[in-house]
Amino acid sequence: MALTHPWTPIPGGVTAPEGFLAAAVSAGLKASGRPDLSLLLAPVGAVCAGTFTTSLVRAACVDLCAERLAAGGGQARAVLTNSGQANACTGERGLADSLRATAELARRLGLSPEEVLNCSTGVIGVPIPMEVLVAGLDPLVAALGPAGGGAAAEAILTTDLVAKDIALEAYLGGRTVRIGGMAKGSGMIHPKMATMLGYLTCDAGVPADVWQDMVKRAVDRSFNAITVDGDTSTNDTTLAFAAGEPLDPGHFEALEAGLTAVSQHLARAIARDGEGATCLIEVRVEGATDDAGARAIARTVAGSSLVKCAVHGRDPNWGRIVAAAGRAGVAFDPLAVALWLGEHQLMAAGQPLAFDRPAASAYLKARAAGAYLVDDTVEIRLRVGEGPGSGLAWGCDLSDQYVRINADYTT
C-alpha cells in the first residue's frame, strides 16, 4: 500500500490502537464450526461514528445502531457481531433479538445497553438462534484482550476467502497515533453509505461531530467507491471508534488521511475478494467538473457487467468502458475523452488509437496471475476533460464462479 503521508503499516488490526480490546469464539452459529461471534470493546470516553445502508429493507440491528448513536451523541463502547444469520426480514423478532443480545452483553461488561451496538451478517430471513448466541457471551468476554484483533476479523466472515484487517501509525502532535480496521464482504457489494461490515478504531480523541464528518468523507472515498455485483446488503454498516488523549485540530487533516488510507485498503480488499473474482479493477477518472462527478463515472465503469466480463476474458474491449462512462449521469464532452488500460493508451480526443491488442490482453492476463493486492490490479484511467475533479472506484472481474456461488447459496 503506497502512502504519501506520515502513516506507516503496523500489525494488530483493530486492537493496534491503545486501549482497544477484541475477541472471537465459535459459538455454534455457523454449521461449519468456524468462529462466528466477535466483540470489539473501546476505552472509556470513546465516541463512535456510523454510516449505514440506505436500503428500505434492512436488518433491525442497523436501525438500533443508528438510533443509539443519535440518542447518545455518538457515545458507544462496544459492538457485538454475529455471523451466519443476517437477522433481516425477521419481523418483530429481529429487533427483540438485537435488544436481548446487547442487553446480555452489557450486563457482562458492566455497561448500559445503550452503549452496546450489534451487527449481524449471513443469510437474509434467518433469525439468530439466541440461546446459542447467549451461551457464547461468557467465553467471548473472557477472551477479550489487546491481541484479539486478528481473531475478531476472522469471526465476522461469511463467504469471504480471506480476513481483511490493517493498522497504521503516525507521529502527530508529539505522540504516536494509531488507526486500525477490519471489514468483511465478498458478495452483495455495491454499498450506499457503508460496506457490508466495517470497523475502524483510533486512539486519538476527536469531538464526536468532527469524527462523524471525517468518517463520512473517508467512507465516500472508500467503501462507497467499490462494487462487486451491483447489489447492496440489508445490513451494510461501518462503525468507527475514537478514544484517547485529545488531538490538536491542527493534525485533523493528517488524521483523516490515515483514516481514508485504512478505509481504502479495506475497501480494495473487499472488491478483490469478490465472489469468483480473479483480479481487482481500479478505475481512475480525471478532468471532471468536480470530484463527486468523477467518482460517479468511476463507479459506473467499475460496476459495468460488460466491462467486468471483458476483463475476465482478458479482452481489451475499450468500447464498453466509454459506454459505461456515458451513462453515469455526469456531463462531459465525448470529444475530450482519453483512455488508458495500464500503460496502453486506447483513445485520445474522443477517437480510437492504434494499439497492440495482444499486448493489452497480455497485461490483463498478467494481472490475473498477480499476487493478492500487490500486482493483481487492472488499472483503467479515463480523462473526460480539463476540470479539477478526480475520483477512484474499485471493482473486480465477473466470472462463472460468481453465478455458481450464488445460484445455490442457501441450498
Side-chain angles (χ1 to χ4, degrees):
M1 180 176 55
L3 299 175
T4 57
H5 38 75
W7 296 92
T8 56
I10 58 171
V14 290
T15 52
E18 184 177 355
F20 286 87
L21 308 176
V25 296
S26 298
L29 299 171
K30 290 178 179 174
S32 66
R34 297 178 62 186
D36 50 25
L37 203 57
S38 170
L39 172 59
L40 175 61
L41 181 64
V44 175
V47 298
C48 182
T51 62
F52 308 95
T53 182
T54 57
S55 173
L56 293 177
V57 179
R58 54 182 174 265
C61 59
V62 174
D63 290 331
L64 183 64
C65 286
E67 290 166 5
R68 286 186 170 174
L69 290 179
Q75 302 293 313
R77 289 286 309 281
V79 56
L80 173 71
T81 305
N82 64 279
S83 61
Q85 303 84 29
N87 197 27
C89 304
T90 52
E92 295 181 358
R93 176 177 172 177
L95 177 57
D97 286 349
S98 285
L99 289 171
R100 182 184 175 192
T102 55
E104 291 276 7
L105 180 60
R107 181 171 59 82
R108 289 164 170 80
L109 294 174
L111 303 175
S112 71
E114 289 72 25
E115 294 178 284
V116 180
L117 307 176
N118 171 224
C119 295
S120 300
T121 180
V123 181
I124 295 170
V126 177
I128 305 168
M130 285 302 297
E131 299 311 316
V132 175
L133 183 149
V134 172
L137 293 180
D138 284 336
L140 183 66
V141 171
L144 270 173
E154 288 279 352
I156 63 176
L157 306 181
T158 51
T159 60
D160 307 61
L161 296 178
V162 298
K164 306 163 182 67
D165 65 354
I166 184 178
L168 302 177
E169 71 175 12
Y171 193 72
L172 302 176
R175 63 190 173 100
T176 298
V177 174
R178 293 179 172 181
I179 301 174
M182 65 179 182
K184 66 86 51 185
S186 183
M188 292 186 78
I189 300 296
H190 191 73
K192 297 179 69 175
M193 291 301 290
T195 185
M196 283 286 291
L197 292 178
Y199 307 89
L200 307 172
T201 57
C202 175
D203 56 13
V206 182
D209 58 342
V210 174
W211 184 240
Q212 177 68 50
D213 289 343
M214 280 189 188
V215 171
K216 173 64 167 60
R217 289 191 293 268
V219 165
D220 280 345
R221 289 168 170 77
S222 58
F223 301 128
N224 266 345
I226 59 173
T227 182
V228 168
D229 47 22
D231 275 298
T232 63
S233 169
T234 55
N235 294 54
D236 289 346
T237 299
T238 292
L239 297 171
F241 294 86
E245 179 184 343
L247 185 67
D248 185 282
H251 299 288
F252 284 176
E253 183 176 350
L255 184 69
E256 185 171 335
L259 186 68
T260 301
V262 166
S263 302
Q264 288 185 340
H265 173 86
L266 295 173
R268 292 174 68 248
I270 289 171
R272 176 60 185 88
D273 198 25
E275 291 167 340
T278 66
C279 60
L280 182 69
I281 300 173
E282 178 179 279
V283 183
R284 181 183 300 272
V285 174
E286 304 165 344
T289 302
D290 53 36
D291 289 351
R295 290 197 298 270
I297 295 172
R299 198 178 192 209
T300 303
V301 172
S304 165
S305 294
L306 289 176
V307 172
K308 291 154 67 69
C309 287
V311 171
H312 184 71
R314 323 309 173 202
D315 179 9
N317 188 348
W318 58 264
R320 295 179 174 181
I321 298 172
V322 293
R327 64 175 172 82
V330 178
F332 63 86
D333 182 1
L335 296 180
V337 170
L339 174 65
W340 290 261
L341 179 65
E343 296 181 351
H344 304 275
Q345 186 170 7
L346 313 180
M347 289 186 71
Q351 302 294 317
L353 297 176
F355 70 96
D356 187 335
R357 187 172 292 273
S361 180
Y363 165 76
L364 295 172
K365 294 176 183 176
R367 299 288 76 74
Y372 179 79
L373 290 183
V374 176
D375 57 357
D376 60 349
T377 303
V378 171
E379 297 178 347
I380 296 172
R381 182 160 69 97
L382 190 67
R383 191 171 65 221
V384 296
E386 300 300 327
S390 63
L392 286 166
W394 296 272
C396 60
D397 59 328
L398 181 60
S399 73
D400 61 341
Q401 289 299 312
Y402 177 86
V403 177
R404 294 180 183 181
I405 290 168
N406 285 283
D408 59 359
Y409 187 75
T410 65
T411 57

